[in-house]
Amino acid sequence: MFFTSLTTWTPGNLLIRIIVSLVLGSLIGIDRGAKKRGGGARTDAAVCLGAALVMMTSQYIEITFPGKADMTRLAAQVISGVGFLGAGSIIISGHQIKGLTSAASIWICACIGLAVGIGFVDGAVILTLILLAGLHILPYIERSVYRHSRYIRLYTEVRESGTVAVLLHKLKTDGCEIDMYDITRPGTNGQSLTVRITVHLPRHLAKEDYLEALAKFDGILFVDTM
């Protein structure tokens, strides 16, 4: 490997580890920030630096007190504990959940920092490059696959509970396969019910035309895809 010597405990290696963790974390953060997503350069760089310091501290403890400490314990705490930052970047807006990719990138930054902190710079650099490439390439692949997928996630608002059974019956009559559904009941009387349904449309039904037909169905106040 290119950076095998960085695993040894020297001031120069420690400085290189710190700089590399800062650069890799910043790259991921800048990429997320450029897309106006959660996280950002400062957050991801700080997470990566912190994780690298934890790993270097573990190595320092092992060198200073050989056999008296578990080097993996602090790393395990970082991997599980960084989740609170990821949870803070997840936003539930209406019937959509946003920020999952940002939360995952923060967690990966912590893992990259741990790898750099112990001197496994090769793996950290390669993973960062693959991650950045995947974040840019996968959206195009997803859009292509989803465009041809016959599964749709319906978000509907109905006037009363009886409409739900009628709606499910209509979907089955039209040849749709209901994969799953859930109903959110209102807290007070007089409010509409929210129904989320995942269905598989048969080939003869066009998505846009079928949505327009459902919107005109008696008892449905609103329908859209998620």
mmCIF file with all atom_site columns, all heavy atoms in Angstrom, residues 124-142:
data_model
loop_
_atom_site.group_PDB
_atom_site.id
_atom_site.type_symbol
_atom_site.label_atom_id
_atom_site.label_alt_id
_atom_site.label_comp_id
_atom_site.label_asym_id
_atom_site.label_entity_id
_atom_site.label_seq_id
_atom_site.pdbx_PDB_ins_code
_atom_site.Cartn_x
_atom_site.Cartn_y
_atom_site.Cartn_z
_atom_site.occupancy
_atom_site.B_iso_or_equiv
_atom_site.pdbx_formal_charge
_atom_site.auth_seq_id
_atom_site.auth_comp_id
_atom_site.auth_asym_id
_atom_site.auth_atom_id
_atom_site.pdbx_PDB_model_num
ATOM 1   N N   . ALA A 1 124 ? -8.987  5.037  3.363   1.00 0.00 ? 124 ALA A N   1
ATOM 2   C CA  . ALA A 1 124 ? -9.779  6.249  3.546   1.00 0.00 ? 124 ALA A CA  1
ATOM 3   C C   . ALA A 1 124 ? -9.857  7.068  2.260   1.00 0.00 ? 124 ALA A C   1
ATOM 4   O O   . ALA A 1 124 ? -10.922 7.568  1.883   1.00 0.00 ? 124 ALA A O   1
ATOM 5   C CB  . ALA A 1 124 ? -9.179  7.094  4.668   1.00 0.00 ? 124 ALA A CB  1
ATOM 6   N N   . VAL A 1 125 ? -8.728  7.212  1.564   1.00 0.00 ? 125 VAL A N   1
ATOM 7   C CA  . VAL A 1 125 ? -8.702  7.987  0.317   1.00 0.00 ? 125 VAL A CA  1
ATOM 8   C C   . VAL A 1 125 ? -9.542  7.306  -0.758  1.00 0.00 ? 125 VAL A C   1
ATOM 9   O O   . VAL A 1 125 ? -10.344 7.948  -1.452  1.00 0.00 ? 125 VAL A O   1
ATOM 10  C CB  . VAL A 1 125 ? -7.250  8.180  -0.171  1.00 0.00 ? 125 VAL A CB  1
ATOM 11  C CG1 . VAL A 1 125 ? -7.230  8.798  -1.564  1.00 0.00 ? 125 VAL A CG1 1
ATOM 12  C CG2 . VAL A 1 125 ? -6.483  9.064  0.799   1.00 0.00 ? 125 VAL A CG2 1
ATOM 13  N N   . ILE A 1 126 ? -9.356  5.999  -0.913  1.00 0.00 ? 126 ILE A N   1
ATOM 14  C CA  . ILE A 1 126 ? -10.109 5.258  -1.929  1.00 0.00 ? 126 ILE A CA  1
ATOM 15  C C   . ILE A 1 126 ? -11.605 5.323  -1.650  1.00 0.00 ? 126 ILE A C   1
ATOM 16  O O   . ILE A 1 126 ? -12.420 5.548  -2.558  1.00 0.00 ? 126 ILE A O   1
ATOM 17  C CB  . ILE A 1 126 ? -9.633  3.794  -1.992  1.00 0.00 ? 126 ILE A CB  1
ATOM 18  C CG1 . ILE A 1 126 ? -8.193  3.735  -2.511  1.00 0.00 ? 126 ILE A CG1 1
ATOM 19  C CG2 . ILE A 1 126 ? -10.540 2.961  -2.885  1.00 0.00 ? 126 ILE A CG2 1
ATOM 20  C CD1 . ILE A 1 126 ? -7.560  2.361  -2.429  1.00 0.00 ? 126 ILE A CD1 1
ATOM 21  N N   . LEU A 1 127 ? -11.978 5.137  -0.386  1.00 0.00 ? 127 LEU A N   1
ATOM 22  C CA  . LEU A 1 127 ? -13.404 5.191  -0.040  1.00 0.00 ? 127 LEU A CA  1
ATOM 23  C C   . LEU A 1 127 ? -13.981 6.578  -0.312  1.00 0.00 ? 127 LEU A C   1
ATOM 24  O O   . LEU A 1 127 ? -15.107 6.699  -0.807  1.00 0.00 ? 127 LEU A O   1
ATOM 25  C CB  . LEU A 1 127 ? -13.595 4.815  1.433   1.00 0.00 ? 127 LEU A CB  1
ATOM 26  C CG  . LEU A 1 127 ? -15.056 4.639  1.882   1.00 0.00 ? 127 LEU A CG  1
ATOM 27  C CD1 . LEU A 1 127 ? -15.175 3.509  2.893   1.00 0.00 ? 127 LEU A CD1 1
ATOM 28  C CD2 . LEU A 1 127 ? -15.605 5.925  2.489   1.00 0.00 ? 127 LEU A CD2 1
ATOM 29  N N   . THR A 1 128 ? -13.228 7.623  0.008   1.00 0.00 ? 128 THR A N   1
ATOM 30  C CA  . THR A 1 128 ? -13.710 8.988  -0.233  1.00 0.00 ? 128 THR A CA  1
ATOM 31  C C   . THR A 1 128 ? -13.954 9.230  -1.716  1.00 0.00 ? 128 THR A C   1
ATOM 32  O O   . THR A 1 128 ? -14.981 9.796  -2.111  1.00 0.00 ? 128 THR A O   1
ATOM 33  C CB  . THR A 1 128 ? -12.699 10.019 0.299   1.00 0.00 ? 128 THR A CB  1
ATOM 34  O OG1 . THR A 1 128 ? -12.514 9.829  1.707   1.00 0.00 ? 128 THR A OG1 1
ATOM 35  C CG2 . THR A 1 128 ? -13.196 11.438 0.053   1.00 0.00 ? 128 THR A CG2 1
ATOM 36  N N   . LEU A 1 129 ? -13.014 8.808  -2.555  1.00 0.00 ? 129 LEU A N   1
ATOM 37  C CA  . LEU A 1 129 ? -13.169 8.987  -4.008  1.00 0.00 ? 129 LEU A CA  1
ATOM 38  C C   . LEU A 1 129 ? -14.368 8.212  -4.541  1.00 0.00 ? 129 LEU A C   1
ATOM 39  O O   . LEU A 1 129 ? -15.144 8.723  -5.361  1.00 0.00 ? 129 LEU A O   1
ATOM 40  C CB  . LEU A 1 129 ? -11.888 8.557  -4.727  1.00 0.00 ? 129 LEU A CB  1
ATOM 41  C CG  . LEU A 1 129 ? -10.632 9.377  -4.426  1.00 0.00 ? 129 LEU A CG  1
ATOM 42  C CD1 . LEU A 1 129 ? -9.426  8.786  -5.147  1.00 0.00 ? 129 LEU A CD1 1
ATOM 43  C CD2 . LEU A 1 129 ? -10.840 10.836 -4.815  1.00 0.00 ? 129 LEU A CD2 1
ATOM 44  N N   . ILE A 1 130 ? -14.526 6.970  -4.061  1.00 0.00 ? 130 ILE A N   1
ATOM 45  C CA  . ILE A 1 130 ? -15.661 6.152  -4.509  1.00 0.00 ? 130 ILE A CA  1
ATOM 46  C C   . ILE A 1 130 ? -16.974 6.755  -4.024  1.00 0.00 ? 130 ILE A C   1
ATOM 47  O O   . ILE A 1 130 ? -17.980 6.784  -4.754  1.00 0.00 ? 130 ILE A O   1
ATOM 48  C CB  . ILE A 1 130 ? -15.507 4.705  -4.017  1.00 0.00 ? 130 ILE A CB  1
ATOM 49  C CG1 . ILE A 1 130 ? -14.322 4.037  -4.718  1.00 0.00 ? 130 ILE A CG1 1
ATOM 50  C CG2 . ILE A 1 130 ? -16.787 3.906  -4.254  1.00 0.00 ? 130 ILE A CG2 1
ATOM 51  C CD1 . ILE A 1 130 ? -14.025 2.641  -4.231  1.00 0.00 ? 130 ILE A CD1 1
ATOM 52  N N   . LEU A 1 131 ? -16.969 7.253  -2.781  1.00 0.00 ? 131 LEU A N   1
ATOM 53  C CA  . LEU A 1 131 ? -18.179 7.876  -2.232  1.00 0.00 ? 131 LEU A CA  1
ATOM 54  C C   . LEU A 1 131 ? -18.584 9.092  -3.058  1.00 0.00 ? 131 LEU A C   1
ATOM 55  O O   . LEU A 1 131 ? -19.756 9.238  -3.438  1.00 0.00 ? 131 LEU A O   1
ATOM 56  C CB  . LEU A 1 131 ? -17.941 8.277  -0.782  1.00 0.00 ? 131 LEU A CB  1
ATOM 57  C CG  . LEU A 1 131 ? -19.050 9.116  -0.129  1.00 0.00 ? 131 LEU A CG  1
ATOM 58  C CD1 . LEU A 1 131 ? -20.339 8.325  -0.034  1.00 0.00 ? 131 LEU A CD1 1
ATOM 59  C CD2 . LEU A 1 131 ? -18.618 9.618  1.244   1.00 0.00 ? 131 LEU A CD2 1
ATOM 60  N N   . LEU A 1 132 ? -17.630 9.977  -3.346  1.00 0.00 ? 132 LEU A N   1
ATOM 61  C CA  . LEU A 1 132 ? -17.938 11.179 -4.124  1.00 0.00 ? 132 LEU A CA  1
ATOM 62  C C   . LEU A 1 132 ? -18.425 10.824 -5.528  1.00 0.00 ? 132 LEU A C   1
ATOM 63  O O   . LEU A 1 132 ? -19.362 11.446 -6.049  1.00 0.00 ? 132 LEU A O   1
ATOM 64  C CB  . LEU A 1 132 ? -16.708 12.085 -4.205  1.00 0.00 ? 132 LEU A CB  1
ATOM 65  C CG  . LEU A 1 132 ? -16.254 12.718 -2.880  1.00 0.00 ? 132 LEU A CG  1
ATOM 66  C CD1 . LEU A 1 132 ? -14.964 13.491 -3.070  1.00 0.00 ? 132 LEU A CD1 1
ATOM 67  C CD2 . LEU A 1 132 ? -17.353 13.629 -2.329  1.00 0.00 ? 132 LEU A CD2 1
ATOM 68  N N   . ALA A 1 133 ? -17.788 9.818  -6.136  1.00 0.00 ? 133 ALA A N   1
ATOM 69  C CA  . ALA A 1 133 ? -18.233 9.386  -7.462  1.00 0.00 ? 133 ALA A CA  1
ATOM 70  C C   . ALA A 1 133 ? -19.641 8.806  -7.396  1.00 0.00 ? 133 ALA A C   1
ATOM 71  O O   . ALA A 1 133 ? -20.493 9.096  -8.250  1.00 0.00 ? 133 ALA A O   1
ATOM 72  C CB  . ALA A 1 133 ? -17.260 8.345  -8.023  1.00 0.00 ? 133 ALA A CB  1
ATOM 73  N N   . GLY A 1 134 ? -19.899 8.008  -6.365  1.00 0.00 ? 134 GLY A N   1
ATOM 74  C CA  . GLY A 1 134 ? -21.223 7.403  -6.224  1.00 0.00 ? 134 GLY A CA  1
ATOM 75  C C   . GLY A 1 134 ? -22.311 8.434  -5.994  1.00 0.00 ? 134 GLY A C   1
ATOM 76  O O   . GLY A 1 134 ? -23.419 8.317  -6.539  1.00 0.00 ? 134 GLY A O   1
ATOM 77  N N   . LEU A 1 135 ? -22.015 9.468  -5.208  1.00 0.00 ? 135 LEU A N   1
ATOM 78  C CA  . LEU A 1 135 ? -23.004 10.510 -4.935  1.00 0.00 ? 135 LEU A CA  1
ATOM 79  C C   . LEU A 1 135 ? -23.393 11.280 -6.192  1.00 0.00 ? 135 LEU A C   1
ATOM 80  O O   . LEU A 1 135 ? -24.482 11.856 -6.265  1.00 0.00 ? 135 LEU A O   1
ATOM 81  C CB  . LEU A 1 135 ? -22.476 11.482 -3.879  1.00 0.00 ? 135 LEU A CB  1
ATOM 82  C CG  . LEU A 1 135 ? -22.364 10.936 -2.451  1.00 0.00 ? 135 LEU A CG  1
ATOM 83  C CD1 . LEU A 1 135 ? -21.713 11.962 -1.527  1.00 0.00 ? 135 LEU A CD1 1
ATOM 84  C CD2 . LEU A 1 135 ? -23.744 10.546 -1.908  1.00 0.00 ? 135 LEU A CD2 1
ATOM 85  N N   . HIS A 1 136 ? -22.504 11.299 -7.191  1.00 0.00 ? 136 HIS A N   1
ATOM 86  C CA  . HIS A 1 136 ? -22.798 12.012 -8.432  1.00 0.00 ? 136 HIS A CA  1
ATOM 87  C C   . HIS A 1 136 ? -23.381 11.100 -9.513  1.00 0.00 ? 136 HIS A C   1
ATOM 88  O O   . HIS A 1 136 ? -24.179 11.543 -10.330 1.00 0.00 ? 136 HIS A O   1
ATOM 89  C CB  . HIS A 1 136 ? -21.521 12.677 -8.962  1.00 0.00 ? 136 HIS A CB  1
ATOM 90  C CG  . HIS A 1 136 ? -21.103 13.874 -8.177  1.00 0.00 ? 136 HIS A CG  1
ATOM 91  N ND1 . HIS A 1 136 ? -21.553 15.150 -8.446  1.00 0.00 ? 136 HIS A ND1 1
ATOM 92  C CD2 . HIS A 1 136 ? -20.291 14.004 -7.098  1.00 0.00 ? 136 HIS A CD2 1
ATOM 93  C CE1 . HIS A 1 136 ? -21.034 16.011 -7.595  1.00 0.00 ? 136 HIS A CE1 1
ATOM 94  N NE2 . HIS A 1 136 ? -20.261 15.336 -6.760  1.00 0.00 ? 136 HIS A NE2 1
ATOM 95  N N   . ILE A 1 137 ? -22.988 9.837  -9.505  1.00 0.00 ? 137 ILE A N   1
ATOM 96  C CA  . ILE A 1 137 ? -23.423 8.919  -10.567 1.00 0.00 ? 137 ILE A CA  1
ATOM 97  C C   . ILE A 1 137 ? -24.752 8.244  -10.228 1.00 0.00 ? 137 ILE A C   1
ATOM 98  O O   . ILE A 1 137 ? -25.630 8.096  -11.089 1.00 0.00 ? 137 ILE A O   1
ATOM 99  C CB  . ILE A 1 137 ? -22.338 7.857  -10.821 1.00 0.00 ? 137 ILE A CB  1
ATOM 100 C CG1 . ILE A 1 137 ? -21.067 8.522  -11.366 1.00 0.00 ? 137 ILE A CG1 1
ATOM 101 C CG2 . ILE A 1 137 ? -22.837 6.791  -11.804 1.00 0.00 ? 137 ILE A CG2 1
ATOM 102 C CD1 . ILE A 1 137 ? -19.895 7.570  -11.494 1.00 0.00 ? 137 ILE A CD1 1
ATOM 103 N N   . LEU A 1 138 ? -24.912 7.836  -8.960  1.00 0.00 ? 138 LEU A N   1
ATOM 104 C CA  . LEU A 1 138 ? -26.099 7.080  -8.580  1.00 0.00 ? 138 LEU A CA  1
ATOM 105 C C   . LEU A 1 138 ? -27.423 7.813  -8.826  1.00 0.00 ? 138 LEU A C   1
ATOM 106 O O   . LEU A 1 138 ? -28.411 7.169  -9.184  1.00 0.00 ? 138 LEU A O   1
ATOM 107 C CB  . LEU A 1 138 ? -26.008 6.668  -7.104  1.00 0.00 ? 138 LEU A CB  1
ATOM 108 C CG  . LEU A 1 138 ? -25.030 5.522  -6.801  1.00 0.00 ? 138 LEU A CG  1
ATOM 109 C CD1 . LEU A 1 138 ? -24.956 5.270  -5.306  1.00 0.00 ? 138 LEU A CD1 1
ATOM 110 C CD2 . LEU A 1 138 ? -25.454 4.253  -7.529  1.00 0.00 ? 138 LEU A CD2 1
ATOM 111 N N   . PRO A 1 139 ? -27.499 9.150  -8.635  1.00 0.00 ? 139 PRO A N   1
ATOM 112 C CA  . PRO A 1 139 ? -28.774 9.823  -8.931  1.00 0.00 ? 139 PRO A CA  1
ATOM 113 C C   . PRO A 1 139 ? -29.259 9.617  -10.363 1.00 0.00 ? 139 PRO A C   1
ATOM 114 O O   . PRO A 1 139 ? -30.460 9.456  -10.600 1.00 0.00 ? 139 PRO A O   1
ATOM 115 C CB  . PRO A 1 139 ? -28.467 11.299 -8.656  1.00 0.00 ? 139 PRO A CB  1
ATOM 116 C CG  . PRO A 1 139 ? -27.395 11.259 -7.631  1.00 0.00 ? 139 PRO A CG  1
ATOM 117 C CD  . PRO A 1 139 ? -26.545 10.072 -7.997  1.00 0.00 ? 139 PRO A CD  1
ATOM 118 N N   . TYR A 1 140 ? -28.337 9.579  -11.335 1.00 0.00 ? 140 TYR A N   1
ATOM 119 C CA  . TYR A 1 140 ? -28.726 9.356  -12.728 1.00 0.00 ? 140 TYR A CA  1
ATOM 120 C C   . TYR A 1 140 ? -29.252 7.929  -12.912 1.00 0.00 ? 140 TYR A C   1
ATOM 121 O O   . TYR A 1 140 ? -30.235 7.705  -13.624 1.00 0.00 ? 140 TYR A O   1
ATOM 122 C CB  . TYR A 1 140 ? -27.532 9.604  -13.652 1.00 0.00 ? 140 TYR A CB  1
ATOM 123 C CG  . TYR A 1 140 ? -27.043 11.031 -13.659 1.00 0.00 ? 140 TYR A CG  1
ATOM 124 C CD1 . TYR A 1 140 ? -25.929 11.406 -12.915 1.00 0.00 ? 140 TYR A CD1 1
ATOM 125 C CD2 . TYR A 1 140 ? -27.713 12.013 -14.390 1.00 0.00 ? 140 TYR A CD2 1
ATOM 126 C CE1 . TYR A 1 140 ? -25.475 12.715 -12.906 1.00 0.00 ? 140 TYR A CE1 1
ATOM 127 C CE2 . TYR A 1 140 ? -27.267 13.330 -14.390 1.00 0.00 ? 140 TYR A CE2 1
ATOM 128 C CZ  . TYR A 1 140 ? -26.152 13.671 -13.649 1.00 0.00 ? 140 TYR A CZ  1
ATOM 129 O OH  . TYR A 1 140 ? -25.713 14.975 -13.641 1.00 0.00 ? 140 TYR A OH  1
ATOM 130 N N   . ILE A 1 141 ? -28.583 6.972  -12.262 1.00 0.00 ? 141 ILE A N   1
ATOM 131 C CA  . ILE A 1 141 ? -29.032 5.585  -12.360 1.00 0.00 ? 141 ILE A CA  1
ATOM 132 C C   . ILE A 1 141 ? -30.395 5.426  -11.688 1.00 0.00 ? 141 ILE A C   1
ATOM 133 O O   . ILE A 1 141 ? -31.285 4.749  -12.213 1.00 0.00 ? 141 ILE A O   1
ATOM 134 C CB  . ILE A 1 141 ? -28.001 4.651  -11.711 1.00 0.00 ? 141 ILE A CB  1
ATOM 135 C CG1 . ILE A 1 141 ? -26.655 4.754  -12.444 1.00 0.00 ? 141 ILE A CG1 1
ATOM 136 C CG2 . ILE A 1 141 ? -28.493 3.203  -11.721 1.00 0.00 ? 141 ILE A CG2 1
ATOM 137 C CD1 . ILE A 1 141 ? -25.543 3.944  -11.816 1.00 0.00 ? 141 ILE A CD1 1
ATOM 138 N N   . GLU A 1 142 ? -30.560 6.064  -10.520 1.00 0.00 ? 142 GLU A N   1
ATOM 139 C CA  . GLU A 1 142 ? -31.831 5.976  -9.801  1.00 0.00 ? 142 GLU A CA  1
ATOM 140 C C   . GLU A 1 142 ? -32.978 6.526  -10.641 1.00 0.00 ? 142 GLU A C   1
ATOM 141 O O   . GLU A 1 142 ? -34.040 5.908  -10.743 1.00 0.00 ? 142 GLU A O   1
ATOM 142 C CB  . GLU A 1 142 ? -31.747 6.746  -8.485  1.00 0.00 ? 142 GLU A CB  1
ATOM 143 C CG  . GLU A 1 142 ? -31.014 6.019  -7.385  1.00 0.00 ? 142 GLU A CG  1
ATOM 144 C CD  . GLU A 1 142 ? -31.042 6.790  -6.095  1.00 0.00 ? 142 GLU A CD  1
ATOM 145 O OE1 . GLU A 1 142 ? -31.034 8.047  -6.140  1.00 0.00 ? 142 GLU A OE1 1
ATOM 146 O OE2 . GLU A 1 142 ? -31.067 6.168  -5.032  1.00 0.00 ? 142 GLU A OE2 1
#
